[in-house]
Structure formats: C-alpha cells, structure tokens
C-alpha cells in the first residue's frame, strides 16, 4: 500500500498573529513554522498503519511552496515517512488550486490512500481533502478519529456534530484526520539524523502541467476587536445576582 | 443571484442553523434582485418540506439513497441540481455536514468556496465575505471568483429567518439516483450527548475545562448546572481528549462555534483555540481559580474560585 500525506507549513499555534501594514499578509518575519498539527497526525497514522503490518506500506509526504519548506518536510521524514516531494511554487494558493496540484501528484504517484489533516490551522478552511476527493471521484472520510484496515478497504470512525459515525469505504480514498486520531510522536535524534539522508524530490509546478486559476481573492485582513471589560465578582451571591440579570 | 440553500435535517426536521443561512441568502437575494430556493434531500421528507415551504420555495428529492448522508452521493446530487437549475450561489449552514458534503460538491462545481462566513457586504456590486482565520484571531475579507459560488454560514452570525406569509411551492426534483456514486457505507452513529440541547442551538451554554477531574464530576457539575439552566453542556478540548466529555461537546477552532446569550466557562483557561469557538457569545461568565487566566480578558463577569465549591452552590441557588 502506498500512502500519500500532503502537508502544509503553518505558524506555530502558540504564536500571536499580527498583520502587515498592507493588510494583505500576516507579519511572519519572526514566526516559527511547524507542520500543520492535523497533518502531523496524518503522518503518524500512516506510520502506525505501516507498523501494524502485515502489508508493506510506503509513505510519501508532499509539500507545496517555497524552499524553506524543506525543514518541515524533514520533520515528516524524521517521524517516519519514506520520502518526500516538494512542489516548488511561489504563488499564494487557495484550496482549489492546492487540490488541483495534489490531483496531479496523485496521478504521478498513484497512491492507494491520501491521508491528510482535516484543516490547516492558518486559513481554517477545511476544504482541500474534500475538493481532492471530488476531483478524483474517490470516496472520502473526513474527521477520522479511528482507522482500521479491512479486507475491503477501511473502516473508520468520524467525529461529526451529532456524535461518532462509523463508515466503510473502499480504496483508493481520501481520509482527513481529526485531533483524536492519535498523538504524533516526536522524532528521535537518530531518526532526525537518518532523515537527512532520505530523498526530497523537487518538482517545479510547471512540470505538473497545471495552471493556477484563483477562486478566492483576498481583499483585506483585519484584527477583530474583542475587548470586554470584566466585572469581577467576589462571592457566589454576587455571581448569582449577575447570572440572574443576564440569563434569558 | 439565483440561490440554492441546502437544508440540513436532523430527525426529519430542519436544523436552526439552516434558518440562519436562509437569512444570509435572503439578504443576498434582496441585494441582487435574485431568489432563494431550498434543496431538501432525504427520506420521508413530507414534514420537512411542509416546514421548509413556510419560508421559501422548495425543491426536494425523497429517496432511500439519501437516508444517510454519504458525501459522495449527496455531493453529486447537489452538483447536478445546481448545474441543471443554473444556480449561481449555493448556501448552507457551517458544521460537519457542510464541511463533508457541501465542500465536496463545491469540488465538483469549480471550487469557488468560502467556509464559515461571519458577515457580508456588497462593494461595487461584488459580494464580499468575511471569515475567520488563525483560530479567529484574524478576520479576512474575500470575494469569490467564478460561478457558482459556494458559501457556508456560521449560524451564530445571522439570526434565524422568519416564515413568509403564505406557504411557497414544493417541487419534486428528478434525480437519477442510480447514477450517483455510492462508495461510502455508513454503519452507525453513536451519540452521547443525552437529552441536552446541542451547544450550537442553545441560548445558554455551560462549558467545563481541565478543572473537571472525571466524567462523574463533569456530569454532576457541568451537566448539573446545564440542566438547572436548561442549557447545553460544552467542553474544552482537553476533557474530550481525556475521554471525560464526548466529542460533540467540544467548543473551539476545531470543535463547534457557538454564540449563545450566555456562555459559562468553568475552569477553562481561555486558549485562543477555545476562544475561537465562543468569543462572540453575548455574555461570557468565567469561574477560574487563577486570577490571571486569559479567559477573564474576554469575560463580562469573572469570579476567582474553585469550580468544585462554586458550581454546587450555583446549582442550588439557581434551581
Ligand atoms: C491545532 C489545535 C486545535 C485546538 N482546538 C481546540 C478546540 O477546538 N477547543 C479547545 O477548547 N481547545 C483546542 N485546542 C487546545 C487549546 O490550545 C488548549 O489546550 C485547551 O483549550 C485548554 O483547555 P482548558 O482551558 O480546559 O485547560 P487548561 O488550559 O489546562 O486550563 C484549565 C484552567 O482551569 C483552571 N482550574 C484548574 N482547577 C480549577 C478549579 N478547581 N477551579 C477553577 N479553576 C480551575 C486553571 O487555572 C486553568 O485556567 C487546540 C489546540 C491545537 C494545537
């Protein structure tokens, strides 16, 4: 089985995000970047599927973007991905174009499973996996919190608004990972060193014969104002008074 | 714009979020001299179509294949209705249904989509949409390029629509269901929420955080106060991760987004990812034993105290 894991580099989640003066970009000069946490969960799950055996599993991590991406892809390799691809592209991509590029990658790599995060914690769109599944006409299982390989494909648990849904899908398929699928491992020092020798193949976007057609135009970014002044109450009596006043 | 509003049903009824999405759709229709129609997919839709027709004209397809919401068949059906009906805007309420199904249909329809929209405006005749990014710490204004456009609405951002004066038309939509993909088999759904309302639909939400030590405590403190106030019970991520609260209670960036009249945060620190899900609540009340907890920065009322001491007294006094 071959598992393709698309990944995105995003600002570390405990950082404060501020906006540049032109209001079109965040100020990323000082920001540390990480692999999108949900994508790290997807990598971890791919590794666990391989470890569970008995079938052989090849794990290919994919990144789209700038040269600095290599650092985050090395993290994926150190965790246990076998190799990585980086699609070099300087343009800012919306989810539609990320999915379009990934479709080309899927056609090149012909994986049995695309396993990716359910959302990227920068734009929070939660679209790429479903777009990709639609473009490939593959079944999908979003928000997976448990994955089991069966003879016919996969049985999964999905975290949905109403509870936990159990579904079965055949392969090939697209699966997106939710938070509780697993806890990603930290790469050990030996595996970090080993990862330095693992191959990262660079592919220019032109080689994929894909033309970018934007679907989302950014007008501006703003910081929402959300100041409230907190009235402190110092006893349960006062808290009850306050609640009785505001409760509908 | 010619607008198709996809209804989300639960137990055969239209979910309140869809009525908020209708408010957005009606405003856009008004501003563009357009119209809104519902699309209802499901099985045994009679009650739901009658209810929907009180608000707007209805297209529906009642078929066994739509009894469960498998994303592949649903998305293909929606895309077909959008294309044959020449709709140029597709609207639905945010949530996991929309993320799964509507997003997939957007993938079949060219990908001009904005998710979780919080507001809109027309500028030079173009529809501008506002949505949160980076766990709600940034508000982005975007426009969509191409047609059709697909928009999901954060229900908390728009009031629920009122019914019209007379019932609208109901039209049976012919969809050749045998041609729809059917590769996702839904086996069953397990819900642990109990009899309480959904966090996204309640006027009052009582949420617990790491301060709560066990499921029993969660039930007696958070659940107990929620029941006293006829409120929904909610949770921060850590309690769901620890198995103390069920997943459908999680509020936040990756859980549900709520904006009730009153949100009570019990022993929740106020991480950005949690606040992304509740900071637009009308009134926020926090109880936390750390006077410097960030939750107090977004709260209207705050009490420094131990939830194990404060909450039982609240249940007694407010009961
Ligand atoms: C990618 C990503 C996505 C995330 N998504 C979400 C999400 O959707 N929702 C979410 O909630 N979190 C989310 N998180 C996690 C988030 O960052 C925080 O870790 C989490 O919200 C903290 O939960 P908490 O406030 O319950 O726990 P803590 O941060 O541990 O806070 C516990 C609080 O309880 C107080 N306390 C302890 N004991 C008592 C007591 N006896 N009485 C009163 N107060 C007490 C403490 O002072 C403290 O302020 C996400 C994180 C990441 C990285």
């Amino acid at each position: 089985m071959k598992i393709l894991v698309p990944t995105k580099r995003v600002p570390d989640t405990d950082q404060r995000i501020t906006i540049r003066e032109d209001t079109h970009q965040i100020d990323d000069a000082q920001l540390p970047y990480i692999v999108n946490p949900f994508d790290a969960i997807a990598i971890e799950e791919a590794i666990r599927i391989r470890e569970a055996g008995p079938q052989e599993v090849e794990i290919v991590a994919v990144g789209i973007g700038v040269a600095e991406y290599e650092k985050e892809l090395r993290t994926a390799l150190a965790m246990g991905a076998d190799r990585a691809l980086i699609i070099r592209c300087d343009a800012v991509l919306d989810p539609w174009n990320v999915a379009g590029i990934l479709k080309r990658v899927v056609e090149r790599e012909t994986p049995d499973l695309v396993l990716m995060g359910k959302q990227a914690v920068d734009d929070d769109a939660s679209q790429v996996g479903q777009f990709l599944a639609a473009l490939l006409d593959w079944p999908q299982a979003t928000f997976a919190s448990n994955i089991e390989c069966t003879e016919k494909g996969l049985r999964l648990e999905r975290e949905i608004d109403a509870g936990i849904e159990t579904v079965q899908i055949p392969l090939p398929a697209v699966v997106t990972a939710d938070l509780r699928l697993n806890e990603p491992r930290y790469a050990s020092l030996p595996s970090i060193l080993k990862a330095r020798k693992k191959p990262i193949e660079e592919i220019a976007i032109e080689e994929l014969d894909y033309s970018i057609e934007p679907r989302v135009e950014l007008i501006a970014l703003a910081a929402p104002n959300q100041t409230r002044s907190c009235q402190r109450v110092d006893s349960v009596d006062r808290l009850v008074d306050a609640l009785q006043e505001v409760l509908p | 714009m010619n607008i198709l509003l996809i209804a989300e049903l639960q137990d055969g009824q239209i979910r309140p979020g869809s009525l908020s999405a209708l408010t957005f759709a009606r405003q856009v229709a008004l501003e563009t001299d357009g119209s809104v129609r519902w699309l209802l997919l499901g099985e045994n839709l009679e009650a739901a179509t009658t209810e929907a027709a009180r608000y707007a004209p209805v297209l529906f397809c009642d078929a066994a294949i739509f009894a469960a919401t498998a994303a592949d068949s649903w998305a293909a059906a929606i895309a077909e209705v959008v294309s044959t009906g020449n709709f140029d805007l597709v609207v639905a309420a945010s949530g996991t249904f929309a993320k799964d199904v509507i997003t997939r249909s957007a993938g079949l329809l060219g990908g001009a989509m904005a998710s979780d929209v919080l507001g809109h405006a027309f500028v030079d005749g173009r529809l501008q949409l506002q949505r949160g990014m980076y766990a709600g710490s940034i508000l982005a204004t975007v426009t969509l390029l191409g047609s059709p456009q697909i928009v999901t609405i954060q229900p908390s951002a728009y009031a629920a629509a009122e019914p019209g004066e007379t019932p609208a038309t109901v039209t049976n939509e012919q969809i050749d269901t045998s041609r729809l993909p059917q590769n996702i088999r839904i086996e069953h759904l397990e819900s642990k929420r109990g009899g309480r309302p959904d966090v996204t639909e309640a006027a009052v939400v009582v949420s617990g955080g790491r301060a709560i030590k066990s499921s029993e405590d969660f039930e007696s403190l958070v659940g107990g106060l929620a029941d006293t106030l006829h409120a929904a019970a909610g949770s921060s991520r850590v309690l769901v991760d620890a198995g103390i609260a069920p997943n459908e209670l999680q509020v936040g960036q990756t859980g549900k987004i709520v904006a009730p009249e009153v949100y009570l945060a019990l022993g929740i620190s106020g991480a950005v990812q949690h606040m992304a899900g509740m900071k637009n609540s009308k009134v926020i009340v926090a109880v936390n034993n750390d006077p410097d907890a960030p939750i107090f920065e977004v709260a209207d009322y705050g009490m420094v105290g131990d939830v194990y001491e404060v909450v039982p007294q609240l249940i007694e006094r407010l009961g």
Side-chain angles (χ1 to χ4, degrees), chain A residues 205-238:
Chain A
I205 176 112
E206 294 76 21
E207 282 175 57
L208 291 177
D209 188 28
Y210 179 81
S211 66
I212 297 169
E213 289 175 17
R215 291 292 191 266
V216 181
E217 180 187 331
L218 179 67
I219 308 289
L221 298 176
N225 70 10
Q226 45 181 308
T227 43
R228 297 188 194 224
S229 62
C230 182
Q231 203 173 317
R232 302 274 181 151
V233 296
D234 53 12
S235 69
V236 173
D237 287 341
R238 303 275 304 281

Side-chain angles (χ1 to χ4, degrees), chain A residues 13 37-38 121 179, chain B residues 209-211 213 235-238 250-255 267-271 273-274 287-290 293 305-308:
Chain A
T13 49
F38 291 97
V121 297
L179 281 174
Chain B
R210 200 192 303 267
K213 299 279 176 299
S235 164
S236 75
R237 172 186 163 185
V238 285
Q250 181 177 318
V251 171
Q253 178 189 23
T254 55
I268 291 176
S269 63
Q273 291 88 2
H274 185 78
V287 179
N288 196 302
N289 63 8
D290 173 6
D306 186 331
V307 293
Y308 279 83

